Amino acid sequence: MSRRVCVIGGGSSGLTSIKSCLDEGLEPTCFESSDDIGGLWRFKENPEADRASIYHSVIINTSKEMMCFSDFPIPAHFPNYMHNSLIMDYFRMYAEHFQLTKHIRFQIRVLQVKPRPDFSRSGQWDVETENKKGEKEKHIFDAVMICIGHHCHPNLPLHDFPGIDKFKGQYFHSRDYKTAEEWRGKRVVVIGIGNSGGDIAVELSRVTKQVFLSTRRGAWILNRVGQQGVPMDFQLNRVVKMAQSVLPFGLVCRLGENKINQRFNHSLYSLQPKHRLFSQHPTVNDELPNRILSGTVQVKPNIRRLQGSSIEFDDGTVEDNIDLVVFATGYNFSFPFLPSNMLPVSGNKANLYKYMFPPGLERPTLVVIGLVQPLGAIMPISEMQARWATRVFKGTSLLFYQTLREEKTEKKGGGWQGRHTIQVDYIDYMDQIAYQVGARPSLLRLLLRDPGVWLCVLLGPCTPYQYRLRGPGQWDGARQAILTTWDRMAGALKTRPSDIPEPKQRSLPLTLTVGAAALALGYYWNIHNHPSLLIALDPTTWQDKIKPYLPVLW
């Protein structure tokens, strides 16, 4: 009989976990407490208790090619940065294509998950659920995948804001914000400069009399639109990552900060943060500098106290007649259905190997999927985690635990506090988990066997398709998806016929220079990590294969 797996949550992590179970011949049952899939990305006018909630205008800050599941590209005509409604459309297409919905039981809440008395031998779990009628049911599962995300419990630190209890205006957490219209002509303070705080401040500033954006630490502001109009995350490739791993951390941060400050000077705009660029998650916002420049948003320091309808800031300035305070102060996560000593959460931190497996269990049959905040997209990471976890459940992938000390050393740069405790780097983390699966792309093998794809993998965006080129779960369409990535990106932009010729591509010398640098870095990386492969670099074995992809020099 196939092993039965309990999947808790029907959002993006839950959907890909169901599919990964099916791919490995496991039998998944997903319990979703609401009446639909989508999790965080399903907009509802009235937020539900202990559930993620978004505002109507939310647009994702990772491009479609970087956020899609690795064997199901997002349609070419979808915009590069999608509104939440289009993300839901994509999830429905994904669920329908792989027939996932039939494995989901909606409006079922998980009350309790605990190991069975013979857990040390069987690794099984007792799971208790409750339907919308209050009827309870008990189940036995061979493994459990927790896919509830980390945006469920709003962090509302009212104790840090003296006088809030006597504030004459209104206040609420950002999860309760939906639209700006009801605050037309009002004076509003937004606390927090993460992605939600920046978005809400910008949207409110279009209709309010004035918006004040309060931040303790400042933030680095990134733009969705990168060089030459290409999505910003297309510029994060393996060559850039190799360079970052070789150069000193401070130098890498300085180069990035100088580049960002070319768009606008963060110090001039009162946004200069206390931390370095790669120490904490940056904020993605295209419009905030324009709103600050036009005066509709004013950046302020932390709030010292509230008095009636007035707010005093740490710099001594006071703003009167404040109508609304929005706390964009992040979220806390917890696992209320688990025994309290099994996976305790303290300071928004949980002891999980690779942010997935509780290290103290005798059997690795419990996993948390999607409990990361990547410098990149989360959907492919959840998918990769699920691919590894299901192979661990099946017994085809070995699992080795590290000590908490070793896990901490993987977090370079320091300064990870509060909501940044689950931050990971996209490429590094994906490669780590893909290595466990056996799906990490081999640059040397690609160079020797498929130079065209090698160039795309090395110099192009690190798309999820790269992790379907080889190993378990290999997808025949991965190669073509990689080669046509730029076509799908451009396809959503070229919506008007034009007779104007496109700009010429990079000059030959520049192309050769970049290619040579990439080859050198790739050589260093492969030899450093795989010294036994040195013999494979005999030029006679690969020059004929790469020749068709080199530019004609005569």
Side-chain angles (χ1 to χ4, degrees):
M1 294 180 61
S2 61
R3 297 171 65 85
R4 300 182 66 237
V5 180
C6 170
V7 179
I8 304 176
S12 60
S13 297
L15 291 175
T16 194
S17 293
I18 297 171
K19 180 183 179 295
S20 295
C21 286
L22 297 174
D23 289 345
E24 293 296 334
L26 306 176
E27 183 182 337
T29 299
C30 176
F31 298 111
E32 166 57 44
S33 60
S34 73
D35 59 357
D36 200 359
I37 63 171
L40 169 70
W41 294 102
R42 182 167 59 91
F43 172 78
K44 293 199 73 173
E45 193 68 42
N46 299 311
E48 301 170 357
D50 296 327
R51 288 192 57 80
S53 182
I54 58 174
Y55 37 99
H56 185 270
S57 61
V58 166
I59 293 175
I60 197 167
N61 53 31
T62 52
S63 66
K64 65 178 182 180
E65 293 298 314
M66 298 297 290
M67 63 152 280
C68 67
F69 296 116
S70 60
D71 56 356
F72 195 72
I74 294 173
H77 67 278
F78 275 37
N80 284 282
Y81 291 99
M82 300 189 296
H83 184 262
N84 60 85
S85 60
L86 290 176
I87 295 174
M88 283 297 300
D89 289 345
Y90 173 65
F91 287 164
R92 296 192 197 285
M93 289 187 288
Y94 181 75
E96 180 180 357
H97 181 79
F98 294 108
Q99 300 182 25
L100 307 180
T101 309
K102 64 183 180 181
H103 299 280
I104 305 176
R105 296 181 60 183
F106 292 103
Q107 296 185 304
I108 302 290
R109 187 165 62 100
V110 175
L111 299 178
Q112 189 176 62
V113 176
K114 62 180 181 179
R116 304 208 76 210
D118 63 346
F119 179 80
S120 61
R121 178 183 60 83
S122 68
Q124 291 183 325
W125 298 84
D126 286 321
V127 177
E128 184 178 9
T129 61
E130 182 182 51
N131 63 20
K132 62 179 181 179
K133 297 179 181 178
E135 299 169 342
K136 298 180 180 180
E137 187 177 358
K138 294 185 177 181
H139 319 261
I140 299 175
F141 287 98
D142 298 296
V144 175
M145 306 179 78
I146 301 173
C147 309
I148 60 175
H150 54 90
H151 291 93
C152 293
H153 311 299
N155 176 39
L156 199 60
L158 300 181
H159 58 278
D160 292 334
F161 298 89
I164 189 67
D165 54 330
K166 297 180 180 179
F167 178 57
K168 292 183 179 180
Q170 297 186 44
Y171 68 86
F172 52 70
H173 192 271
S174 58
R175 78 183 295 271
D176 296 312
Y177 171 83
K178 296 303 170 184
T179 61
E181 189 57 38
E182 62 181 302
W183 304 105
R184 180 173 293 276
K186 305 295 184 181
R187 289 167 59 84
V188 178
V189 172
V190 177
I191 301 173
I193 198 171
N195 289 324
S196 295
D199 283 350
I200 292 172
V202 165
E203 184 167 288
L204 284 169
S205 70
R206 298 191 184 103
V207 299
T208 56
K209 185 176 182 180
Q210 183 65 59
V211 170
F212 302 96
L213 181 57
S214 172
T215 172
R216 288 183 301 176
R217 298 178 58 88
W220 295 105
I221 310 298
L222 303 183
N223 196 352
R224 289 181 176 88
V225 183
Q227 292 182 353
Q228 298 182 335
V230 172
M232 177 265 297
D233 51 11
F234 268 45
Q235 301 168 27
L236 303 177
N237 57 42
R238 292 185 177 275
V239 169
V240 172
K241 197 62 204 169
M242 289 175 190
Q244 289 179 346
S245 66
V246 174
L247 298 175
F249 178 76
L251 176 60
V252 172
C253 288
R254 180 179 298 177
L255 292 172
E257 291 161 8
N258 290 342
K259 182 67 175 178
I260 291 175
N261 276 326
Q262 288 179 7
R263 181 186 174 218
F264 73 93
N265 188 311
H266 282 58
S267 179
L268 180 63
Y269 280 60
S270 300
L271 290 170
Q272 183 77 33
K274 300 177 181 179
H275 58 267
R276 303 307 301 269
L277 174 60
F278 295 108
S279 293
Q280 291 190 13
H281 208 288
T283 296
V284 179
N285 197 297
D286 300 89
E287 297 185 63
L288 183 58
N290 296 333
R291 290 287 154 182
I292 296 173
L293 193 62
S294 64
T296 56
V297 173
Q298 290 186 24
V299 180
K300 306 291 283 186
N302 194 40
I303 292 176
R304 180 178 296 170
R305 65 174 64 90
L306 297 90
Q307 294 178 319
S309 61
S310 299
I311 292 181
E312 180 183 354
F313 297 93
D314 279 348
D315 61 355
T317 59
V318 177
E319 296 296 338
D320 299 318
N321 303 316
I322 301 299
D323 301 288
L324 171 67
V325 175
V326 179
F327 286 84
T329 45
Y331 293 82
N332 298 315
F333 61 85
S334 65
F335 310 99
F337 41 77
L338 292 177
S340 58
N341 62 344
M342 178 167 291
L343 190 52
V345 178
S346 177
N348 235 25
K349 298 178 183 179
N351 183 12
L352 292 166
Y353 175 58
K354 299 296 182 187
Y355 301 93
M356 294 174 60
F357 291 95
L361 294 180
E362 297 172 279
R363 299 277 183 174
T365 55
L366 176 70
V367 67
V368 181
I369 302 295
L371 189 63
V372 292
Q373 188 174 24
L375 298 175
I378 191 170
M379 288 78 166
I381 286 183
S382 293
E383 180 188 42
M384 185 59 69
Q385 289 179 329
R387 290 173 64 185
W388 182 31
T390 50
R391 291 184 60 78
V392 171
F393 297 159
K394 191 177 178 180
T396 53
S397 180
L398 298 178
L399 174 65
F400 300 99
Y401 292 116
Q402 289 181 322
T403 64
L404 185 59
R405 176 183 297 180
E406 290 171 329
E407 185 73 8
K408 285 180 179 178
T409 62
E410 296 178 1
K411 303 173 183 177
K412 298 180 180 179
W416 299 39
Q417 302 171 358
R419 62 190 173 93
H420 302 284
T421 57
I422 54 175
Q423 179 172 306
V424 298
D425 177 87
Y426 176 82
I427 296 179
D428 279 350
Y429 187 76
M430 285 286 282
D431 278 354
Q432 290 176 32
I433 306 303
Y435 175 77
Q436 300 288 344
V437 176
R440 186 172 69 182
S442 170
L443 294 179
L444 181 58
R445 183 175 300 176
L446 286 173
L447 171 61
L448 300 177
R449 297 183 178 181
D450 199 338
V453 172
W454 172 78
L455 284 172
C456 293
V457 169
L458 192 64
L459 296 175
C462 188
T463 56
Y465 320 123
Q466 297 184 10
Y467 300 95
R468 292 283 183 178
L469 287 170
R470 61 190 290 257
Q474 181 178 347
W475 175 45
D476 292 340
R479 182 182 187 277
Q480 185 64 19
I482 291 171
L483 294 175
T484 56
T485 295
W486 290 83
D487 295 333
R488 285 188 301 279
M489 180 276 292
L493 299 173
K494 295 182 177 180
T495 56
R496 180 181 69 88
S498 176
D499 297 329
I500 301 176
E502 294 188 15
K504 294 182 179 180
Q505 299 298 317
R506 293 188 181 99
S507 64
L508 178 59
L510 179 59
T511 301
L512 292 176
T513 301
V514 172
L519 181 58
L521 284 169
Y523 173 88
Y524 169 81
W525 184 90
N526 277 288
I527 297 307
H528 179 73
N529 290 278
H530 307 287
S532 63
L533 298 179
L534 181 60
I535 191 173
L537 288 178
D538 180 1
T540 60
T541 65
W542 56 266
Q543 65 180 20
D544 290 337
K545 295 182 180 181
I546 195 172
K547 187 182 297 182
Y549 297 94
L550 293 176
V552 178
L553 299 179
W554 54 84

